[in-house]
């Protein structure tokens, strides 16, 4: 599994997982992180499929899903662009944040921690500093 | 469709050597042997014409090998596709199998006729050489020699279709699930030659030899040739069906 | 609803005592790259030969593009036979002429592009080619046709890694430009992994698994791993 650059996007494709979801999620997170800017053009399905060595049908499916999310818009004869709508991306970032937090809470609950436990853990971590910050010192 | 047929013929006209056989290294020696053979033949006849009386027309008996050569050539043409691993391309061309084999046999026929004409020219030159060399050599004798040769050559050419068709039978049956019938074919083949050569119709000559002994333009000859053409076509249709339904890969 | 391009119903073909296809039932979806996978002798090549009319079924029924396999239908199918050779007397250029004259929907411009991608010189003679070069030429002959169905029997065999990548990329480009169904067998599943969007695993002439590649990846991991599990 190696990193592949397509335009301004970076991908890590693992062939033992569904490809469409990986492409979708990785473009989503690139948008959320701002790696690809508002109104910027996405690589064409052809280009994306060619560079990732993935079937164009798979890429197409991911692009359709992005369009349904409202993250991208198709312009006739020009290709697919990231939305200009700042609020839309912000909203999407919120959704993504919520989704990750919920996943996290879920995993914690599966381990038997309650919501209050989680809160107290979070407090400790905030007091001691973010693990990434610590590594940098 | 006609253009497809011609394109197929042109494609099949190419002599295709075996995949593992490099014709280039043998080409030189083939030429050397051909030239040596021709020199040898001329040498022997030069010597012979001074010592013995040569019946010129007997040289034409050489033509007897041509029908067998034609038969073998058709087998080889078909075998090429299978031996060289190209049959998958050939048999998936979107044209009727009859067109495919008709084109193959046409290419074969063109090549055989070229060879027959080449041999005719060569023997004519040889005959001319001998008749002017030998003491009793005369223009009349040479003209008669050429006339006989021409007639016999034309007869051989007229029998090319049936010989090609029979070659096709072997070439196709070998590759089909009907291969067991091949034994039956060889049996008929053998009986056929024995029958027509042993039981002559005229003056104790075999049936086919009688073509070459008397004036060939007779009802008997013409019907035989026409029958052979009809038979060749029927065989062709039959083999197209075999190639379609019974081919074994 | 998914359209099917090939349908097999109780397809059976026997060679002697051995079943090459054993009551095979299968519907192959249109517009996808379908991998027919399995070990040697599970009936992959036989299935392909039936599809292009080289072999006939003993029992059952197969329809391709809505028809029973027949000679005329092959105008719309590009087929790469297994263990085949190309005509030894031809050069690449001559082979393309053959394509233009005798293979319907052969696009010589694309053939030339493909050839340069495959590092094939137009004046190279087949008899002087390596096995890999010859395989690349044969694949070029298939991939240069504008047909709705391409059937490739072991397209990567004898082809080196770099050329394989080029081939896969070209197939992806081809798929991006038009609707086509590509049916292929391969032992190199690992390389074709991203290319396949439908996989059919055969064993002893019948179907073990047939599903969307994405579903299979979700349930079993990569197709390569699944194949190793199935044929251990």
């Amino acid at each position: 599994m190696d990193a592949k650059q397509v335009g301004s996007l970076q991908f890590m494709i693992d062939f033992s997982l569904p490809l469409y979801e990986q492409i979708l999620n990785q473009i989503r997170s690139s948008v959320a992180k701002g790696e690809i800017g508002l109104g910027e053009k996405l690589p064409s399905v052809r280009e994306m499929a060619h560079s990732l060595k993935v079937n164009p049908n798979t890429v197409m499916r991911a692009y359709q899903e992005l369009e349904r999310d409202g993250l991208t818009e198709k312009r006739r004869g020009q290709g697919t662009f990231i939305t200009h709508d700042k609020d839309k991306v912000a909203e999407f970032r919120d959704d993504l944040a919520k989704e990750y937090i919920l996943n996290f809470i879920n995993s914690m609950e599966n381990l038997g921690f309650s919501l209050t436990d989680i809160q107290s853990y979070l407090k400790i971590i905030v007091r001691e500093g973010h693990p990434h910050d610590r590594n940098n010192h | 469709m006609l253009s497809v047929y011609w394109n197929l013929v042109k494609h099949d006209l190419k002599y295709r050597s075996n995949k593992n056989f490099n014709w280039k290294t043998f080409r030189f020696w083939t030429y050397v042997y051909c030239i040596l053979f021709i020199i040898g033949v001329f040498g022997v006849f030069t010597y012979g014409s001074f010592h013995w009386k040569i019946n010129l027309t007997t040289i034409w008996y050489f033509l007897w090998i041509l029908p067998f050569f034609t038969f073998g050539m058709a087998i080889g043409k078909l075998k090429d596709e299978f031996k060289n691993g190209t049959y998958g391309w050939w048999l998936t061309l979107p044209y009727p199998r009859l067109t495919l084999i008709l084109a193959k046999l046409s290419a074969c026929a063109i090549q055989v006729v070229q060879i027959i004409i080449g041999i005719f020219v060569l023997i004519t030159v040889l005959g001319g050489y001998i008749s002017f060399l030998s003491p009793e050599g005369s223009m009349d004798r040479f003209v008669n020699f050429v006339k006989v040769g021409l007639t016999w050559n034309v007869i051989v050419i007229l029998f090319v279709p049936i010989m090609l068709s029979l070659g096709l039978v072997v070439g196709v049956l070998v590759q089909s699930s009907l291969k067991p019938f091949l034994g039956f074919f060889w049996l008929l083949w053998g009986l056929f030659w024995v029958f027509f050569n042993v039981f002559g119709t005229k003056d104790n000559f075999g049936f086919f030899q009688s073509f070459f002994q008397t004036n060939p333009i007779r009802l008997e000859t013409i019907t035989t040739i026409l029958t052979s053409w009809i038979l060749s076509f029927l065989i062709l249709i039959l083999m197209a069906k075999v190639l379609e339904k019974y081919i074994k890969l | 609803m998914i359209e099917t391009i090939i349908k097999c119903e109780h397809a059976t073909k026997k060679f002697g005592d051995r079943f090459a296809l054993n009551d095979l039932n299968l519907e192959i979806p249109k517009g996808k790259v379908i991998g027919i996978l399995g070990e040697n002798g599970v009936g992959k090549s036989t299935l392909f030969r039936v599809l292009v009319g080289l072999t006939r079924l003993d029992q059952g029924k197969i329809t391709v593009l809505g028809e029973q396999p027949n000679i005329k239908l092959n105008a719309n199918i590009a087929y790469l036979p297994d263990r085949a050779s190309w005509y030894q007397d031809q050069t690449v250029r001559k082979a393309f002429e053959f394509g233009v004259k005798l293979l319907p929907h052969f696009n010589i411009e694309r053939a030339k592009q493909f050839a340069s991608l495959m590092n094939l010189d137009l004046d190279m003679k087949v008899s002087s080619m390596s096995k890999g070069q010859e395989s690349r030429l044969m694949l070029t002959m298939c991939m240069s046709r504008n047909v709705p169905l391409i059937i490739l029997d072991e397209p990567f065999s004898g082809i080196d890694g770099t050329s394989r990548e080029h081939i896969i990329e070209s197939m992806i480009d081809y798929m991006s430009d038009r609707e086509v169904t590509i049916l292929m067998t391969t032992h190199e599943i690992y390389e074709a992994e991203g290319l396949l969007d439908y996989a059919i695993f055969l064993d002893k002439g019948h179907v073990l698994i047939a599903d969307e590649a994405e579903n299979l990846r979700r349930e079993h991991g990569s197709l390569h791993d699944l194949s190793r599990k199935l044929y251990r």
Side-chain angles (χ1 to χ4, degrees):
Chain A
M1 190 172 69
D2 39 24
K4 279 177 189 142
Q5 187 83 30
V6 190
S8 54
L9 298 167
Q10 252 213 343
F11 290 90
M12 295 278 269
I13 301 292
D14 180 350
F15 284 122
S16 58
L17 294 167
L19 304 179
Y20 136 82
E21 285 166 23
Q22 294 178 62
I23 296 169
L24 179 63
N25 289 336
Q26 291 179 30
I27 295 177
R28 272 177 177 170
S29 63
S30 290
V31 175
K33 280 191 256 175
E35 283 172 356
I36 181 162
L38 291 178
E40 221 176 287
K41 189 177 185 290
L42 271 183
S44 67
V45 171
R46 182 195 170 96
E47 196 185 334
M48 183 73 86
H50 185 104
S51 313
L52 296 180
K53 294 199 177 55
V54 160
N55 194 300
N57 293 334
T58 312
V59 176
M60 193 104 75
R61 216 174 127 194
Y63 275 34
Q64 281 164 356
E65 189 69 32
L66 286 169
E67 214 182 327
R68 260 200 296 276
D69 286 350
L71 270 191
T72 61
E73 49 206 42
K74 228 182 190 159
R75 280 182 224 154
R76 215 167 230 290
Q78 290 182 59
T80 304
F81 293 81
I82 303 294
T83 178
H84 275 291
D85 192 344
K86 246 187 233 165
D87 298 340
K88 192 92 208 173
V89 176
E91 191 188 306
F92 179 72
R93 264 176 76 91
D94 282 349
D95 287 348
L96 215 56
K98 279 178 202 154
E99 191 187 317
Y100 285 175
I101 299 275
L102 278 176
N103 278 343
F104 161 70
I105 291 173
N106 244 332
S107 326
M108 289 300 274
E109 280 177 347
N110 281 342
L111 286 173
F113 295 107
S114 68
L115 215 55
T116 23
D117 291 337
I118 296 172
Q119 267 177 323
S120 51
Y121 275 112
L122 280 173
K123 268 182 201 150
I124 295 169
I125 285 176
V126 169
R127 203 180 322 129
E128 287 179 356
H130 191 280
H132 287 302
D133 296 342
R134 263 188 319 210
N135 290 344
N136 288 344
H137 289 305
Chain B
M1 206 60 210
L2 202 64
S3 80
V4 163
Y5 166 75
W6 271 117
N7 286 328
L8 281 167
V9 172
K10 277 187 262 171
H11 172 67
D12 286 325
L13 268 175
K14 303 271 162 43
Y15 285 100
R16 296 212 166 81
S17 51
N18 190 318
K19 201 169 167 46
N20 303 313
F21 176 83
N22 191 352
W23 165 242
K24 260 183 202 155
T25 53
F26 288 90
R27 183 151 49 188
F28 173 74
W29 289 106
T30 311
Y31 288 142
V32 167
Y33 286 129
C34 278
I35 291 165
L36 284 179
F37 177 74
I38 291 167
I39 291 172
V41 167
F42 273 81
V44 166
F45 279 100
T46 308
Y47 177 84
S49 59
F50 288 116
H51 293 82
W52 305 300
K53 190 171 181 288
I54 295 172
N55 180 3
L56 267 185
T57 48
T58 50
I59 301 176
W60 289 120
Y61 286 171
F62 183 69
L63 293 176
W64 264 110
I65 68 161
L66 287 174
F68 297 97
F69 175 79
T70 309
F71 173 71
M73 198 156 162
I75 299 178
K77 210 54 163 187
L78 225 82
K79 200 175 158 194
D80 272 354
E81 297 277 1
F82 293 90
K83 189 181 64 192
N84 293 335
T86 50
Y87 63 88
W89 302 104
W90 183 53
L91 291 175
T92 53
L93 288 171
Y95 314 111
R97 297 275 152 92
L98 188 64
T99 312
L100 295 184
I101 52 179
L102 195 61
K104 229 176 230 319
L105 292 194
S106 304
C108 240
I110 290 170
Q111 286 168 340
V112 166
V113 170
Q114 280 172 349
I115 290 167
I116 292 176
I117 291 170
I119 289 175
F120 173 73
V121 170
L122 211 69
I123 295 183
T124 305
V125 170
L126 181 69
Y129 174 72
I130 295 165
S131 51
F132 290 109
L133 212 62
S134 52
E136 66 269 29
S138 70
M139 197 60 196
D140 283 354
R141 193 171 166 237
F142 176 66
V143 168
N144 183 51
F145 166 76
V146 175
K147 246 176 159 172
V148 170
L150 204 59
T151 329
W152 292 5
N153 262 289
V154 169
I155 290 173
V156 169
I157 287 175
L158 294 177
F159 279 110
V160 162
I162 186 69
M163 294 316 287
L164 288 176
S165 289
L166 291 172
L168 180 74
V169 171
V170 177
V172 170
L173 285 189
V174 162
Q175 306 296 344
S176 77
S177 54
L178 304 179
K179 200 174 172 180
F181 285 101
L182 207 56
F184 189 59
F185 172 84
W186 287 122
L187 191 75
L188 276 181
W189 173 260
L191 284 176
F192 173 81
W193 286 102
V194 169
F195 183 79
F196 283 107
N197 282 300
V198 174
F199 308 105
T201 50
K202 268 184 188 154
D203 312 309
N204 282 335
F205 290 115
F207 181 74
F208 281 109
Q209 277 160 308
S210 75
F211 279 159
F212 302 104
Q213 297 300 330
T214 46
N215 177 20
I217 305 164
R218 285 173 294 130
L219 189 67
E220 201 185 348
T221 332
I222 293 166
T223 45
T224 308
I225 287 166
L226 286 180
T227 313
S228 83
W229 287 356
I230 294 166
L231 197 62
S232 337
F233 191 65
L234 293 177
I235 291 176
L236 209 65
I237 292 172
L238 193 68
M239 287 305 117
K241 279 274 170 262
V242 173
L243 210 51
E244 205 177 309
K245 290 187 177 160
Y246 299 100
I247 205 74
K248 200 175 172 182
L249 302 169
Chain C
M1 206 197 91
I2 301 162
E3 271 186 277
T4 53
I5 192 162
I6 293 163
K7 200 171 173 182
C8 305
E9 293 165 276
H10 308 292
T12 302
K13 176 79 191 174
K14 250 174 140 177
F15 291 115
D17 293 335
R18 199 179 61 81
F19 281 100
L21 302 174
N22 190 358
D23 196 25
L24 182 77
N25 291 294
L26 193 60
E27 284 192 23
I28 296 179
K30 196 175 168 186
K32 294 181 184 290
V33 181
I34 299 112
I36 309 276
L37 309 169
E39 293 176 311
N40 284 329
V42 295
K44 297 173 290 179
S45 296
T46 306
L47 176 63
F48 283 4
R49 285 180 190 155
V50 172
L51 295 177
V52 295
L54 278 176
T55 303
R56 291 183 164 226
L57 289 178
D58 294 337
Q59 278 160 44
K61 196 178 143 196
I62 284 190
T63 46
V64 189
L65 297 159
E67 287 179 48
Q68 306 242 31
N70 66 70
I71 305 256
K72 274 194 199 135
L73 202 57
N74 285 349
N76 295 319
I77 304 174
Y79 167 61
L80 175 73
D82 64 325
R83 286 174 285 125
S85 297
W86 191 256
Y87 294 100
Q88 298 294 308
D89 59 292
Q90 291 186 344
T91 56
V92 173
R93 198 187 299 279
K94 282 274 174 214
F96 291 174
E97 274 173 34
F98 173 89
V100 169
K101 284 176 184 162
L102 293 168
L103 300 173
H105 318 296
F106 186 84
N107 180 336
I108 191 158
E109 289 314 314
R110 237 231 324 282
K112 283 178 180 166
Q113 280 171 19
F114 210 91
S116 80
L117 202 66
M118 295 285 104
N119 259 320
L120 291 173
D121 182 41
L122 286 181
D123 294 310
M124 204 184 272
K125 205 168 174 186
V126 178
S127 57
S128 61
M129 282 183 182
S130 68
K131 193 76 204 117
Q133 286 169 325
E134 198 177 336
S135 302
R136 281 180 266 157
L137 171 64
M138 292 191 286
L139 197 60
T140 303
M141 296 308 291
C142 290
M143 297 302 292
S144 305
R145 292 178 65 190
N146 290 326
V147 287
L149 177 61
I150 300 181
I151 299 179
L152 306 170
D153 207 342
E154 292 295 335
F156 304 121
S157 83
I159 293 180
D160 62 284
T162 321
S163 300
R164 267 181 208 172
E165 279 191 27
H166 284 315
I167 291 165
I168 288 172
E169 285 167 359
S170 314
M171 283 183 183
I172 288 168
D173 292 348
Y174 189 104
M175 300 253 344
S176 307
D177 296 341
R178 65 188 64 75
E179 200 199 47
V180 60
T181 307
I182 301 180
L183 203 60
M184 58 193 269
T185 63
T186 182
H187 281 106
E188 337 290 333
I189 306 176
Y190 194 74
E191 259 117 334
E193 194 86 50
L195 187 66
L196 300 180
D197 43 10
Y198 199 90
I200 297 165
F201 290 91
L202 294 183
D203 193 31
K204 296 188 184 86
H206 51 243
V207 177
L208 279 184
I209 297 178
D211 201 356
E212 298 275 344
E214 292 285 78
N215 293 343
L216 294 174
R217 288 187 192 106
R218 188 173 293 117
E219 287 166 35
H220 306 280
S222 74
L223 301 176
H224 178 70
D225 293 341
L226 176 57
S227 149
R228 284 198 352 212
K229 256 182 263 168
L230 286 174
Y231 303 108
R232 199 169 27 200

